C-alpha cells in the first residue's frame, strides 16, 4: 500500500542553538495536520533529480500552532539535506509523508519515566510536556529527563523543561554537558555524557520506563546498562537519530 504524500509550506524559521535550526510548516492545502506527541514526519527533498528522504521528530504540542508544526535539525557539515533546509525560505514547499512512529507515551501503569536524549533527540519530549504534566497531576508518574549537549548554549527547549520543573517537583530536568561545566552550574547541570550520568541514578527495573532518543552510541550504551540492571525490553523504548548527508 502506498503511503500518502502531501505538500508542506514553510511558515517560519529560527536558530534555536548555534548549530540547530527550527523550521515551522503547515499543509499547503490548508488541512490541519494531526499527530501524536513523539511521532515524526518524512520530508522528500529534491536533489539532482531524485528525492532525499529525511525524517524529523515533531517538536510541537499537538493541537497548537493552528494545525501546523515545527521540528529542529542540526547542521551536518557537507550534508545534502542540511544544504537544502538551511537555505529554505518562508513560502517554499516540500513533499512530505507521515506522521509515523510508535515513540509515544502509552497507557502505562504508575511509573517513573526516564526520558533520555542527546541534541535534537529531545524534541519528542517537548511535544509530550502537557501530557506529562497531566499524568503527574493525576499521580500516574514522576519524571527524570536527561539531555546531553556540548554546552549550555545548545540546550534545546531548555526553557520549556525548566519551566515545568520549577512548578512541578516530580519533573526533574538534568542537563549533561560533554564539554565544560558552567561556573554557575546548579545541581541539575552535570559534566559528562547521558549514559555516564544515568549510572548515578538508582533504578527500579520493575517500575521505571525508559525512553531513549538521539545518538546511536548513547542509545546502545544506555540499552546495555538498563538490560544489565534487569529492565525488560518492553520498558525500553528507543529511537535512533542517524546523521546522514
Amino acid at each position: 500500500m502506498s503511503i500518502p504524500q502531501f505538500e508542506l509550506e514553510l511558515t517560519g524559521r529560527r536558530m534555536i542553538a548555534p548549530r540547530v535550526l527550527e523550521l515551522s510548516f503547515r499543509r499547503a492545502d490548508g488541512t490541519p495536520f494531526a499527530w501524536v506527541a513523539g511521532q515524526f514526519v518524512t520530508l522528500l527533498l529534491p536533489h539532482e533529480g531524485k528525492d532525499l528522504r529525511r525524517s524529523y521528530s515533531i517538536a510541537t504540542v499537538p493541537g497548537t500552532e493552528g494545525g501546523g508544526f515545527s521540528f529542529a535539525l542540526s547542521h551536518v557539515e557537507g550534508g545534502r539535506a542540511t544544504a537544502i533546509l538551511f537555505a529554505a525560505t518562508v513560502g517554499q514547499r516540500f513533499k512530505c509523508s507521515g506522521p509515523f512512529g510508535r515513540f509515544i507515551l502509552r497507557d502505562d501503569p504508575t511509573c517513573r519515566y526516564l526520558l533520555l536524549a542527546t541534541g535534537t533527540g529531545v524534541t519528542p519530549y517537548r511535544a509530550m510536556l502537557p501530557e506529562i504534566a497531566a499524568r503527574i497531576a493525576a499521580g500516574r508518574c514522576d519524571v527524570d529527563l536527561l539531555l546531553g549537549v556540548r554546552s549550555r548554549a545548545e540546550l534545546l527547549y531548555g526553557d520549556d523543561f525548566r519551566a515545568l520543573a520549577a512548578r512541578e517537583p516530580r519533573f526533574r530536568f538534568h542537563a549533561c554537558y560533554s564539554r565544560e561545566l558552567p561556573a554557575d552550574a546548579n545541581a541539575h547541570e552535570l559534566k559528562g555524557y547521558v549514559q555516564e550520568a544515568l549510572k548515578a541514578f538508582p533504578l527500579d527495573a520493575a517500575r521505571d520506563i525508559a525512553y531513549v532518543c538521539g545518538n546511536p552510541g548513547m542509545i546502545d550504551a544506555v540499552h546495555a546498562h538498563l538490560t544489565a540492571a534487569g529492565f525488560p525490553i518492553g520498558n525500553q523504548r528507543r529511537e535512533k537519530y542517524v546523521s546522514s548527508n
Side-chain angles (χ1 to χ4, degrees):
M1 183 174 67
S2 62
I3 298 173
Q5 296 180 3
F6 49 90
E7 273 199 325
L8 292 177
E9 180 180 339
L10 181 63
T11 59
R13 48 175 293 143
R14 63 175 180 139
M15 297 297 296
I16 57 173
R19 298 170 56 254
V20 180
L21 174 66
E22 182 189 73
L23 296 176
S24 300
F25 296 91
R26 65 185 175 201
R27 283 187 57 142
D29 62 7
T31 302
F33 185 65
W35 69 94
V36 178
Q39 291 189 306
F40 64 89
V41 293
T42 297
L43 266 61
L44 289 78
L45 305 174
H47 179 76
E48 297 181 352
K50 298 181 180 180
D51 285 332
L52 304 176
R53 293 179 177 269
R54 298 292 185 269
S55 296
Y56 301 97
S57 292
I58 299 171
T60 304
V61 175
T64 63
E65 294 194 13
F69 67 92
S70 302
F71 62 71
L73 65 150
S74 297
H75 187 278
V76 177
E77 192 64 35
R80 292 173 292 177
T82 293
I84 295 168
L85 292 175
F86 271 70
T89 57
V90 170
Q92 192 167 341
R93 294 187 175 190
F94 297 92
K95 290 186 291 184
C96 179
S97 59
F100 305 111
R102 295 176 52 82
F103 193 75
I104 61 176
L105 291 173
R106 305 176 191 174
D107 188 17
D108 296 304
T110 302
C111 64
R112 174 179 66 163
Y113 288 120
L114 292 167
L115 307 180
L116 314 175
T118 54
T120 56
V122 79
T123 55
Y125 308 144
R126 193 237 192 174
M128 294 174 183
L129 282 181
E131 176 60 24
I132 288 171
R135 293 189 184 198
I136 290 173
R140 294 178 56 189
C141 70
D142 59 346
V143 178
D144 281 287
L145 191 162
L146 284 73
L147 170 58
V149 293
R150 295 191 298 183
S151 66
R152 188 183 280 170
E154 298 184 354
L155 206 56
L156 304 183
Y157 304 115
D159 289 345
D160 298 308
F161 300 126
R162 282 189 289 255
L164 180 55
R167 67 177 185 267
E168 180 47 75
R170 293 176 64 186
F171 180 89
R172 297 166 293 272
F173 176 49
H174 313 271
C176 304
Y177 303 126
S178 61
R179 293 195 173 176
E180 188 173 341
L181 190 67
D184 60 345
N186 61 44
H188 294 288
E189 292 182 295
L190 312 170
K191 176 69 170 68
Y193 295 99
V194 167
Q195 56 266 40
E196 296 168 350
L198 182 64
K199 294 176 182 178
F201 280 70
L203 300 176
D204 183 344
R207 181 177 181 270
D208 293 341
I209 297 175
Y211 282 75
V212 195
C213 187
N215 179 275
M218 180 275 290
I219 291 178
D220 292 343
V222 167
H223 172 59
H225 179 68
L226 295 178
T227 300
F231 275 62
I233 195 65
N235 284 14
Q236 300 185 53
R237 300 164 189 177
R238 297 169 283 170
E239 188 155 280
K240 292 184 177 182
Y241 278 25
V242 179
S243 294
S244 69
N245 62 2

